[in-house]
């Protein structure tokens, strides 16, 4: 939804779909039946291992009592479904299970540390599957590449991950002690993602549970495969769109390399001449402003004769007409395309990068 994870909805993400439907359904039911909300309060000071307090511990860390928290966490779960597609439902469930257990311990440790430092006892924390959701920001930050989208005020860069962080910040500021759950989730996610003390071998979903869920729960929450093609007149197929996004990323990567090479060339040109690096400005000036800053030429027979005899060597270089046509189709003039191809030795990628920069 926010990142470039495709437009396939919840296809191949049955666990994410089940979490969204079940947890949000329970939140709505508890909103309509407030007399049962006491069973789902996340209370750290209750004796959590006797009687119904175990139930309160489990449910208090699964179901949200605040609709706003449920909405924000649902948006994040929907966005993080990419990990279930990439690693499979079992590994995704193992990550949630491991971080859920680790964050339960971290909640008590952080609350105790806060009490010792500030002499304030933390009794209740926001309910819901919040710490594991915050823990998913760790693989999201480390694994999902940043893709620039636009700029605000010319300095603030907006990427494909910005809106996800905005939703996380909104969830973080929704209640006073949400920061404790966020810190607990980030620590737990970092420990589990780095396989600290081989936690991934200790806290995981057994294979028999995964098989049982595949036969029992997956038919209930699985989504049908979307069609590959959009309706006529609405654009290209999804495969072509994904390929176009990859082409844009490759072009941005090439442009970044070229800009870095130009900056290094300008920096080093102040000290010594460069050899082996293509100097665009020495081959020809700015193509798009050619002749605008030149003084008016007076008719002079000798100068004209000298100019006709001193043709650049680049004009004798053969140029493929097919590549010229491709550059002209992109919107460049034929003259600019010819000179860029001659200067780049018929390398259409380098010629395109130069024309885009000029």
């Amino acid at each position: 939804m926010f990142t470039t994870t495709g437009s396939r909805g919840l296809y191949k993400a049955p666990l994410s779909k089940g979490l969204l439907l079940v947890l949000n359904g329970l939140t709505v039911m508890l909103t309509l039946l407030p007399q049962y909300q006491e069973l789902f309060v996340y209370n750290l000071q209750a004796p959590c291992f006797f009687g119904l307090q175990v139930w309160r511990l489990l449910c208090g860390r699964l179901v949200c009592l605040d609709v706003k928290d449920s909405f924000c966490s649902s948006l994040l779960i929907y966005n993080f479904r990419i990990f279930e597609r990439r690693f499979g439902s079992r590994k995704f469930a193992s990550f949630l299970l491991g971080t859920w257990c680790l964050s339960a311990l971290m909640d008590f440790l952080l609350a105790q540390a806060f009490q010792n430092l500030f002499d304030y006892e933390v009794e209740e924390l926001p309910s819901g599957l919040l710490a594991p959701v915050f823990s998913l920001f760790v693989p999201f930050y480390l694994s999902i590449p940043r893709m620039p989208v636009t700029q605000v005020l010319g300095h603030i860069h907006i990427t494909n991950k910005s809106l996800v962080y905005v939703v996380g910040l909104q969830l973080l500021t929704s209640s006073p002690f949400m920061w404790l759950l966020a810190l607990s989730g980030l620590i737990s996610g970092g420990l589990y993602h780095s396989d600290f003390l081989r936690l991934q071998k200790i806290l995981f979903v057994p294979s028999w549970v995964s098989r049982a869920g595949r036969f029992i729960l997956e038919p209930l929450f699985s989504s049908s495969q979307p069609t590959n093609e959009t309706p006529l007149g609405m654009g290209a197929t999804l495969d072509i769109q994904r390929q176009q996004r990859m082409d844009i990323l490759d072009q941005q990567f090439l442009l970044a390399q070229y800009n870095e090479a130009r900056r290094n060339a300008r920096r080093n040109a102040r000290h010594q001449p460069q050899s082996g690096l293509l100097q665009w400005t020495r081959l020809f000036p700015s193509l798009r402003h050619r002749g605008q800053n030149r003084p008016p030429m007076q008719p002079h027979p000798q100068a004209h004769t000298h100019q006709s005899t001193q043709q650049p060597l680049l004009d004798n270089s053969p140029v493929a007409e097919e590549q010229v046509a491709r550059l002209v189709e992109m919107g460049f003039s034929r003259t600019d395309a010819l000179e860029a191809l001659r200067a780049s030795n018929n390398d259409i990628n380098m010629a395109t990068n130069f024309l885009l920069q000029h």
Side-chain angles (χ1 to χ4, degrees):
M1 187 168 82
F2 301 123
T3 59
T4 56
T5 57
S7 56
R8 297 184 295 172
L10 291 168
Y11 176 63
K12 289 187 177 180
L15 179 59
S16 300
K17 183 177 180 179
L19 290 175
L20 292 175
L21 293 178
V22 174
L23 298 184
N24 287 322
L26 291 175
T27 300
V28 174
M29 290 179 58
L30 291 175
T31 303
L32 299 177
L33 302 173
Q35 62 271 21
Y36 296 103
Q37 291 185 1
E38 296 182 357
L39 298 176
F40 296 87
V41 174
Y42 184 20
N43 192 344
L44 294 176
Q45 303 302 325
C48 299
F49 299 102
F50 299 98
L52 295 178
Q53 301 301 328
V54 177
W55 167 263
R56 295 183 61 178
L57 174 65
L58 295 176
C59 295
R61 305 191 75 249
L62 288 177
V63 183
C64 290
L65 297 180
D66 191 340
V67 178
K68 182 176 62 175
D69 294 345
S70 178
F71 178 75
C72 292
S73 61
S74 298
L75 290 180
L76 294 175
I77 291 174
Y78 180 81
N79 182 79
F80 293 148
R81 75 198 187 281
I82 184 177
F83 298 116
E84 184 176 3
R85 290 178 182 170
R86 179 178 297 182
F87 304 115
S89 298
R90 183 186 176 189
K91 289 186 177 180
F92 185 66
S94 298
F95 185 89
L96 292 179
L97 175 63
T99 54
W100 189 91
C101 297
L102 291 175
S103 60
L105 177 61
M106 289 295 171
D107 291 345
F108 286 100
L109 294 179
L110 291 176
Q112 189 65 33
F114 186 81
Q115 180 179 355
N116 295 334
L117 290 175
F118 301 99
D119 196 19
Y120 183 86
E121 186 177 11
V122 181
E123 296 183 358
E124 294 183 1
L125 291 176
S127 301
L129 193 70
L130 300 175
V133 170
F134 280 112
S135 68
L136 288 170
F137 276 99
V138 175
F140 179 76
Y141 176 79
L142 298 175
S143 303
I144 305 300
R146 293 173 52 191
M147 179 178 172
V149 177
T150 185
Q151 291 185 359
V152 178
L153 302 177
H155 299 285
I156 303 175
H157 295 274
I158 303 298
T159 67
N160 58 327
K161 302 168 68 174
S162 299
L163 289 179
V164 181
Y165 291 130
V166 170
V167 176
L169 183 62
Q170 174 64 35
L171 182 61
L172 177 64
T173 57
S174 62
S175 60
F177 285 100
M178 185 67 73
W179 64 267
L180 193 146
L181 292 176
L183 182 59
S184 173
L186 293 176
I187 295 175
S188 303
L191 293 176
Y192 195 87
H193 185 268
S194 62
D195 198 14
F196 180 73
L197 297 178
R198 302 181 64 85
L199 288 173
Q200 297 181 9
K201 303 296 182 181
I202 301 173
L203 301 174
F204 65 94
V205 175
S207 58
W208 63 270
V209 176
S210 177
R211 288 193 298 267
R214 186 180 308 164
F215 289 106
I216 299 175
L217 299 179
E218 186 171 354
L220 298 176
F221 300 111
S222 60
S223 300
S224 59
Q225 182 176 3
T227 58
N228 289 332
E229 295 186 0
T230 57
L232 295 177
M234 296 299 292
T237 63
L238 295 177
D239 293 335
I240 295 178
Q241 293 175 2
R242 284 192 289 269
Q243 184 62 38
Q244 289 175 349
R245 286 197 293 266
M246 295 301 298
D247 293 340
I248 292 174
L249 287 174
D250 293 338
Q251 184 180 13
Q252 291 175 347
F253 179 72
L254 290 174
L255 286 176
Q257 285 186 328
Y258 174 72
N259 291 332
E260 184 66 23
R262 287 191 67 186
R263 286 193 293 268
N264 293 335
R266 291 175 180 176
R267 190 182 304 112
N268 296 330
R270 301 174 183 176
H271 305 284
Q272 58 182 4
Q274 297 294 312
S275 60
L277 182 63
L278 183 60
Q279 298 289 335
W280 294 104
T281 56
R282 294 182 60 185
L283 290 174
F284 44 88
S286 180
L287 293 173
R288 303 199 180 279
H289 303 283
R290 183 180 302 258
Q292 295 183 3
N293 298 325
R294 295 179 180 176
M297 299 292 293
Q298 297 295 332
H300 197 284
Q302 295 181 356
H304 179 74
T305 305
H306 179 73
Q307 182 180 1
S308 61
T309 57
Q310 298 291 332
Q311 293 293 332
L313 297 176
L314 296 173
D315 293 342
N316 298 327
S317 303
V319 177
E321 188 64 29
E322 180 182 358
Q323 295 181 351
V324 177
R326 290 178 61 184
L327 292 177
V328 172
E329 290 177 357
M330 295 180 187
F332 304 110
S333 66
R334 180 178 178 83
T335 303
D336 295 350
L338 286 171
E339 295 195 10
L341 287 171
R342 292 191 184 105
S344 61
N345 195 18
N346 286 326
D347 189 335
I348 191 170
N349 292 327
M350 188 177 294
T352 304
N353 292 337
F354 174 76
L355 291 172
L356 289 174
Q357 292 295 323
H358 290 74

